[in-house]
Amino acid sequence: MRTPSVRRPPHHSRLATAALTTVALLATAVLSACGGSADAGEGGGKLRIGYQRFGGLSLVKARGAAPDVEWSLFESGPALTEALKAGSIDIGQVGEAPPVFAAAGKIPFSIIGTSAPIPQGEAVLVKADRGYRSFADLKGRTVALNKGSNVHWLLVQLLKANNMTLKDIQVKYLKPAEGRPAFDGGQVDAWVIWDPYFALAEQPGVQVLADATGLASNREYVLAAPDAVTKRSDDVKEFLQRYREVTDWGIAHPEERASTLAPELKIPQDVTSRALARSARPLAPVSPAIGDELQAITDSFIALELIPGPVDLRSRVDDRFSAVFQ
Protein backbone atom coordinates (compact mmCIF):
# COMPACT_ATOMS: atom_id res chain seq x y z
CA MET A 1 0.00 0.00 0.00
CA ARG A 2 1.22 3.46 -0.80
CA THR A 3 2.77 5.30 2.15
CA PRO A 4 0.71 8.44 2.97
CA SER A 5 2.50 11.74 2.67
CA VAL A 6 3.39 13.44 5.92
CA ARG A 7 3.35 16.90 4.33
CA ARG A 8 0.89 19.13 6.19
CA PRO A 9 -2.04 20.33 4.06
CA PRO A 10 -2.30 24.01 3.20
CA HIS A 11 -3.97 26.25 5.75
CA HIS A 12 -7.09 26.77 3.64
CA SER A 13 -7.47 23.00 3.21
CA ARG A 14 -7.31 22.47 6.97
CA LEU A 15 -9.98 25.14 7.45
CA ALA A 16 -12.25 23.50 4.88
CA THR A 17 -11.86 20.11 6.55
CA ALA A 18 -12.69 21.61 9.94
CA ALA A 19 -15.73 23.38 8.53
CA LEU A 20 -17.04 20.17 6.95
CA THR A 21 -16.52 18.31 10.22
CA THR A 22 -18.46 20.99 12.10
CA VAL A 23 -21.34 20.84 9.60
CA ALA A 24 -21.49 17.05 9.92
CA LEU A 25 -21.57 17.25 13.72
CA LEU A 26 -24.32 19.88 13.63
CA ALA A 27 -26.38 17.80 11.22
CA THR A 28 -26.04 14.79 13.51
CA ALA A 29 -27.12 16.88 16.49
CA VAL A 30 -30.19 18.19 14.68
CA LEU A 31 -31.27 14.69 13.66
CA SER A 32 -30.76 13.44 17.19
CA ALA A 33 -32.86 16.30 18.61
CA CYS A 34 -35.72 15.32 16.34
CA GLY A 35 -35.34 11.63 17.04
CA GLY A 36 -33.86 11.17 13.58
CA SER A 37 -31.46 8.31 14.12
CA ALA A 38 -31.58 5.79 11.32
CA ASP A 39 -32.73 2.84 13.43
CA ALA A 40 -34.79 4.58 16.14
CA GLY A 41 -38.06 3.45 14.57
CA GLU A 42 -37.13 -0.23 14.48
CA GLY A 43 -37.44 -2.66 17.34
CA GLY A 44 -36.45 -0.48 20.28
CA GLY A 45 -35.86 2.96 21.65
CA LYS A 46 -38.47 5.59 22.23
CA LEU A 47 -41.35 6.14 19.86
CA ARG A 48 -40.83 9.42 18.03
CA ILE A 49 -43.96 11.55 17.88
CA GLY A 50 -44.52 14.48 15.54
CA TYR A 51 -47.10 17.00 16.69
CA GLN A 52 -48.46 20.40 15.78
CA ARG A 53 -49.45 23.29 17.97
CA PHE A 54 -52.88 22.75 19.44
CA GLY A 55 -53.72 19.28 18.08
CA GLY A 56 -54.67 16.50 20.49
CA LEU A 57 -51.09 15.35 20.74
CA SER A 58 -50.15 18.72 22.25
CA LEU A 59 -52.36 17.89 25.21
CA VAL A 60 -50.71 14.50 25.64
CA LYS A 61 -47.33 16.23 25.76
CA ALA A 62 -48.53 19.03 28.06
CA ARG A 63 -49.92 16.52 30.59
CA GLY A 64 -46.80 14.40 30.53
CA ALA A 65 -49.00 11.41 29.74
CA ALA A 66 -46.38 9.74 27.55
CA PRO A 67 -43.01 10.35 29.23
CA ASP A 68 -41.36 7.52 27.31
CA VAL A 69 -41.60 9.10 23.84
CA GLU A 70 -39.61 11.75 21.97
CA TRP A 71 -41.48 14.80 20.72
CA SER A 72 -40.87 16.92 17.60
CA LEU A 73 -42.91 20.08 16.92
CA PHE A 74 -43.97 21.02 13.38
CA GLU A 75 -45.62 24.20 12.11
CA SER A 76 -47.86 22.37 9.65
CA GLY A 77 -48.93 18.98 8.34
CA PRO A 78 -46.78 19.10 5.18
CA ALA A 79 -43.68 19.68 7.30
CA LEU A 80 -44.64 16.73 9.48
CA THR A 81 -45.09 14.40 6.50
CA GLU A 82 -41.64 15.39 5.27
CA ALA A 83 -40.31 14.12 8.62
CA LEU A 84 -42.08 10.81 7.95
CA LYS A 85 -40.36 10.73 4.59
CA ALA A 86 -37.00 11.34 6.25
CA GLY A 87 -37.65 8.57 8.78
CA SER A 88 -37.28 10.94 11.74
CA ILE A 89 -40.69 10.30 13.35
CA ASP A 90 -42.87 7.22 13.86
CA ILE A 91 -46.31 8.76 14.44
CA GLY A 92 -47.79 12.16 13.61
CA GLN A 93 -51.07 14.05 13.49
CA VAL A 94 -52.22 16.10 10.47
CA GLY A 95 -55.32 17.49 8.77
CA GLU A 96 -57.12 16.03 5.77
CA ALA A 97 -55.03 17.36 2.86
CA PRO A 98 -51.48 16.48 4.04
CA PRO A 99 -52.01 12.72 3.60
CA VAL A 100 -53.13 13.38 0.03
CA PHE A 101 -50.08 15.44 -0.90
CA ALA A 102 -47.77 13.03 0.96
CA ALA A 103 -49.17 10.02 -0.89
CA ALA A 104 -48.79 11.87 -4.18
CA GLY A 105 -45.16 12.44 -3.19
CA LYS A 106 -44.68 8.68 -2.64
CA ILE A 107 -44.08 9.10 1.11
CA PRO A 108 -44.68 5.78 2.91
CA PHE A 109 -47.20 5.90 5.76
CA SER A 110 -50.39 4.32 7.07
CA ILE A 111 -53.50 6.14 8.30
CA ILE A 112 -54.30 4.49 11.65
CA GLY A 113 -56.75 6.89 13.30
CA THR A 114 -58.93 9.93 12.76
CA SER A 115 -61.30 12.23 14.64
CA ALA A 116 -64.86 13.46 14.52
CA PRO A 117 -65.35 16.31 12.01
CA ILE A 118 -64.07 19.76 13.03
CA PRO A 119 -65.54 22.14 10.39
CA GLN A 120 -65.53 25.20 12.67
CA GLY A 121 -61.80 24.83 13.29
CA GLU A 122 -60.71 26.45 10.01
CA ALA A 123 -61.92 29.63 8.36
CA VAL A 124 -61.43 32.41 5.84
CA LEU A 125 -60.49 35.66 7.56
CA VAL A 126 -60.83 39.14 6.07
CA LYS A 127 -60.63 42.70 7.36
CA ALA A 128 -64.09 43.92 8.32
CA ASP A 129 -63.55 47.33 6.73
CA ARG A 130 -62.96 45.80 3.27
CA GLY A 131 -66.69 45.21 2.86
CA TYR A 132 -66.56 41.56 1.81
CA ARG A 133 -69.83 39.77 2.46
CA SER A 134 -69.24 36.36 0.90
CA PHE A 135 -66.39 34.32 -0.52
CA ALA A 136 -67.55 35.26 -4.02
CA ASP A 137 -66.54 38.85 -3.22
CA LEU A 138 -62.92 37.70 -3.22
CA LYS A 139 -62.92 37.24 -6.99
CA GLY A 140 -59.75 38.80 -8.32
CA ARG A 141 -58.34 39.19 -4.81
CA THR A 142 -55.32 37.67 -3.10
CA VAL A 143 -55.99 34.71 -0.82
CA ALA A 144 -53.21 33.30 1.39
CA LEU A 145 -52.98 29.76 2.76
CA ASN A 146 -50.48 27.03 3.58
CA LYS A 147 -50.04 24.76 0.57
CA GLY A 148 -51.02 21.14 1.16
CA SER A 149 -52.63 21.75 4.56
CA ASN A 150 -56.25 21.18 5.58
CA VAL A 151 -57.16 24.70 4.44
CA HIS A 152 -56.13 23.84 0.90
CA TRP A 153 -59.10 21.49 0.67
CA LEU A 154 -61.36 24.13 2.19
CA LEU A 155 -60.29 26.57 -0.53
CA VAL A 156 -61.11 24.02 -3.23
CA GLN A 157 -64.55 23.47 -1.74
CA LEU A 158 -65.25 27.19 -1.36
CA LEU A 159 -64.37 27.80 -4.99
CA LYS A 160 -66.66 24.98 -6.09
CA ALA A 161 -69.53 26.22 -3.90
CA ASN A 162 -69.26 29.70 -5.39
CA ASN A 163 -68.91 28.58 -9.03
CA MET A 164 -65.34 29.83 -9.11
CA THR A 165 -62.00 28.32 -10.11
CA LEU A 166 -58.42 28.87 -9.02
CA LYS A 167 -58.11 31.30 -11.93
CA ASP A 168 -60.66 33.59 -10.27
CA ILE A 169 -58.39 34.43 -7.34
CA GLN A 170 -54.71 35.06 -6.74
CA VAL A 171 -53.42 32.32 -4.45
CA LYS A 172 -50.42 33.10 -2.29
CA TYR A 173 -48.92 30.13 -0.49
CA LEU A 174 -47.67 31.22 2.92
CA LYS A 175 -46.82 29.28 6.06
CA PRO A 176 -48.76 30.32 9.20
CA ALA A 177 -45.84 32.39 10.50
CA GLU A 178 -45.79 34.24 7.17
CA GLY A 179 -49.54 34.45 6.69
CA ARG A 180 -50.35 36.39 9.85
CA PRO A 181 -48.06 39.40 9.17
CA ALA A 182 -49.12 39.43 5.51
CA PHE A 183 -52.78 39.50 6.58
CA ASP A 184 -52.26 42.07 9.32
CA GLY A 185 -50.25 44.28 6.98
CA GLY A 186 -52.81 44.20 4.19
CA GLN A 187 -50.54 42.36 1.76
CA VAL A 188 -53.29 39.79 1.17
CA ASP A 189 -57.04 40.23 1.09
CA ALA A 190 -57.96 37.00 2.85
CA TRP A 191 -56.24 34.35 4.93
CA VAL A 192 -57.47 30.74 5.13
CA ILE A 193 -56.20 29.35 8.42
CA TRP A 194 -56.83 26.81 11.19
CA ASP A 195 -56.82 26.90 15.00
CA PRO A 196 -55.04 28.06 17.06
CA TYR A 197 -53.69 30.55 14.48
CA PHE A 198 -57.33 31.25 13.60
CA ALA A 199 -58.20 32.12 17.20
CA LEU A 200 -55.06 34.22 17.63
CA ALA A 201 -55.99 36.28 14.57
CA GLU A 202 -59.53 36.99 15.80
CA GLN A 203 -58.82 40.56 16.77
CA PRO A 204 -61.10 43.62 16.55
CA GLY A 205 -61.63 44.47 12.91
CA VAL A 206 -61.18 40.89 11.71
CA GLN A 207 -64.19 39.14 10.17
CA VAL A 208 -64.81 35.42 9.70
CA LEU A 209 -66.02 35.28 6.12
CA ALA A 210 -66.67 31.52 6.10
CA ASP A 211 -65.67 28.34 7.87
CA ALA A 212 -65.77 24.73 6.66
CA THR A 213 -69.33 23.98 7.80
CA GLY A 214 -71.10 22.08 5.03
CA LEU A 215 -67.94 22.06 2.92
CA ALA A 216 -65.18 20.03 4.56
CA SER A 217 -64.96 17.64 7.50
CA ASN A 218 -61.57 18.98 8.62
CA ARG A 219 -60.82 15.77 10.50
CA GLU A 220 -57.52 15.08 12.16
CA TYR A 221 -55.62 12.02 10.96
CA VAL A 222 -53.04 9.92 12.77
CA LEU A 223 -50.28 8.76 10.44
CA ALA A 224 -47.67 6.12 11.21
CA ALA A 225 -44.47 5.00 9.55
CA PRO A 226 -44.66 1.45 8.11
CA ASP A 227 -41.91 0.12 10.39
CA ALA A 228 -43.70 1.42 13.47
CA VAL A 229 -46.94 -0.28 12.43
CA THR A 230 -45.39 -3.64 11.59
CA LYS A 231 -42.47 -3.89 14.02
CA ARG A 232 -43.68 -1.94 17.05
CA SER A 233 -47.41 -2.50 17.06
CA ASP A 234 -47.58 -3.05 20.83
CA ASP A 235 -45.78 0.25 21.49
CA VAL A 236 -48.00 2.06 19.01
CA LYS A 237 -51.15 0.59 20.56
CA GLU A 238 -50.05 1.61 24.05
CA PHE A 239 -49.34 5.17 22.91
CA LEU A 240 -52.66 5.45 21.08
CA GLN A 241 -54.45 4.29 24.22
CA ARG A 242 -52.88 7.12 26.19
CA TYR A 243 -53.75 9.52 23.40
CA ARG A 244 -57.37 8.41 23.51
CA GLU A 245 -57.55 8.67 27.31
CA VAL A 246 -56.08 12.18 27.36
CA THR A 247 -58.38 13.33 24.57
CA ASP A 248 -61.44 12.02 26.40
CA TRP A 249 -60.26 13.64 29.65
CA GLY A 250 -59.86 16.98 27.90
CA ILE A 251 -63.35 16.91 26.43
CA ALA A 252 -64.78 16.09 29.86
CA HIS A 253 -62.73 18.82 31.59
CA PRO A 254 -62.64 21.85 29.25
CA GLU A 255 -61.40 24.40 31.81
CA GLU A 256 -58.55 22.21 33.02
CA ARG A 257 -57.74 21.34 29.42
CA ALA A 258 -57.33 24.99 28.51
CA SER A 259 -55.23 25.81 31.57
CA THR A 260 -52.99 22.81 30.84
CA LEU A 261 -52.58 23.52 27.14
CA ALA A 262 -52.15 27.30 27.15
CA PRO A 263 -48.60 27.23 28.56
CA GLU A 264 -47.64 24.49 26.11
CA LEU A 265 -48.96 26.58 23.20
CA LYS A 266 -47.56 29.81 24.65
CA ILE A 267 -50.81 31.62 23.94
CA PRO A 268 -53.33 33.26 26.30
CA GLN A 269 -55.73 30.95 28.06
CA ASP A 270 -58.84 32.77 26.78
CA VAL A 271 -57.64 32.27 23.20
CA THR A 272 -56.92 28.63 23.94
CA SER A 273 -60.40 28.15 25.41
CA ARG A 274 -62.08 29.76 22.41
CA ALA A 275 -60.19 27.61 19.95
CA LEU A 276 -60.72 24.40 21.91
CA ALA A 277 -64.46 25.03 22.25
CA ARG A 278 -64.87 24.64 18.50
CA SER A 279 -61.91 22.47 17.55
CA ALA A 280 -61.40 19.74 20.16
CA ARG A 281 -63.24 16.59 19.09
CA PRO A 282 -63.06 12.91 20.08
CA LEU A 283 -60.82 10.50 18.25
CA ALA A 284 -62.42 7.94 15.94
CA PRO A 285 -61.44 4.69 14.21
CA VAL A 286 -60.66 4.58 10.53
CA SER A 287 -63.04 2.69 8.26
CA PRO A 288 -63.76 2.10 4.57
CA ALA A 289 -65.95 5.23 4.69
CA ILE A 290 -62.97 7.27 5.87
CA GLY A 291 -60.96 5.82 3.00
CA ASP A 292 -63.71 6.85 0.58
CA GLU A 293 -63.74 10.37 2.03
CA LEU A 294 -59.99 10.77 1.62
CA GLN A 295 -60.08 9.27 -1.86
CA ALA A 296 -62.71 11.81 -2.95
CA ILE A 297 -60.44 14.62 -1.73
CA THR A 298 -57.52 13.04 -3.57
CA ASP A 299 -59.43 12.70 -6.82
CA SER A 300 -60.47 16.35 -6.63
CA PHE A 301 -56.88 17.52 -6.22
CA ILE A 302 -55.85 15.32 -9.17
CA ALA A 303 -58.66 16.74 -11.33
CA LEU A 304 -57.44 20.26 -10.55
CA GLU A 305 -53.87 19.20 -11.44
CA LEU A 306 -52.68 20.21 -7.98
CA ILE A 307 -51.10 16.78 -7.54
CA PRO A 308 -50.09 14.11 -10.06
CA GLY A 309 -52.22 11.00 -10.29
CA PRO A 310 -53.16 8.32 -9.83
CA VAL A 311 -53.03 8.15 -6.03
CA ASP A 312 -54.70 5.39 -4.00
CA LEU A 313 -55.53 6.73 -0.52
CA ARG A 314 -57.89 3.89 0.34
CA SER A 315 -54.97 1.47 0.50
CA ARG A 316 -53.25 3.67 3.12
CA VAL A 317 -56.06 3.14 5.66
CA ASP A 318 -55.03 0.58 8.29
CA ASP A 319 -57.68 -0.37 10.86
CA ARG A 320 -55.54 -2.67 13.04
CA PHE A 321 -55.65 -0.15 15.93
CA SER A 322 -59.29 0.85 15.53
CA ALA A 323 -60.38 -0.93 18.70
CA VAL A 324 -58.46 1.68 20.70
CA PHE A 325 -60.68 4.45 19.34
CA GLN A 326 -64.06 2.72 19.66
Side-chain angles (χ1 to χ4, degrees), residues 204-230:
V206 173
Q207 174 188 347
V208 178
L209 193 63
D211 63 23
T213 301
L215 298 169
S217 295
N218 190 34
R219 299 179 191 272
E220 293 179 350
Y221 288 94
V222 183
L223 309 185
D227 279 348
V229 170
T230 59

Side-chain angles (χ1 to χ4, degrees), residues 49-132:
I49 311 300
Y51 73 107
Q52 298 182 62
R53 293 183 75 193
F54 186 71
L57 291 177
S58 291
L59 187 59
V60 178
K61 182 177 183 294
R63 294 202 78 203
D68 50 350
V69 305
E70 293 181 358
W71 297 94
S72 294
L73 175 63
F74 297 91
E75 185 182 21
S76 66
L80 190 150
T81 58
E82 282 299 310
L84 276 171
K85 180 180 180 180
S88 58
I89 60 172
D90 300 307
I91 296 173
Q93 176 194 45
V94 299
E96 56 198 351
V100 173
F101 280 76
K106 311 300 182 185
I107 297 175
F109 65 88
S110 296
I111 304 166
I112 61 172
T114 186
S115 74
I118 316 170
Q120 294 85 13
E122 57 180 354
V124 182
L125 304 182
V126 296
K127 296 292 181 64
D129 59 8
R130 296 289 183 92
Y132 302 127

Side-chain angles (χ1 to χ4, degrees), residues 262-279:
E264 174 70 27
L265 301 177
K266 297 181 175 60
I267 62 177
Q269 187 168 330
D270 63 325
V271 175
T272 304
S273 295
R274 183 168 69 250
L276 286 168
R278 64 185 172 220
S279 292

Side-chain angles (χ1 to χ4, degrees), residues 176-304:
E178 302 166 331
R180 176 67 186 274
F183 177 68
D184 289 347
Q187 299 167 25
V188 299
D189 297 290
W191 187 27
V192 195
I193 192 59
W194 64 89
D195 276 322
Y197 306 107
F198 169 16
L200 283 164
E202 287 183 288
Q203 302 293 327
V206 173
Q207 174 188 347
V208 178
L209 193 63
D211 63 23
T213 301
L215 298 169
S217 295
N218 190 34
R219 299 179 191 272
E220 293 179 350
Y221 288 94
V222 183
L223 309 185
D227 279 348
V229 170
T230 59
K231 299 178 181 179
R232 305 193 61 181
S233 59
D234 289 344
D235 293 336
V236 171
K237 183 178 180 180
E238 181 181 353
F239 176 77
L240 294 178
Q241 184 63 47
R242 297 185 199 179
Y243 183 15
R244 161 75 186 275
E245 291 168 357
V246 170
T247 300
D248 291 347
W249 171 87
I251 291 170
H253 303 84
E255 293 184 6
E256 293 177 63
R257 176 182 61 190
S259 62
T260 300
L261 199 50
E264 174 70 27
L265 301 177
K266 297 181 175 60
I267 62 177
Q269 187 168 330
D270 63 325
V271 175
T272 304
S273 295
R274 183 168 69 250
L276 286 168
R278 64 185 172 220
S279 292
R281 295 292 183 269
L283 294 170
V286 292
S287 64
I290 292 296
D292 291 342
E293 187 174 316
L294 280 170
Q295 191 63 51
I297 295 171
T298 304
D299 294 343
S300 294
F301 276 117
I302 293 171
L304 292 170

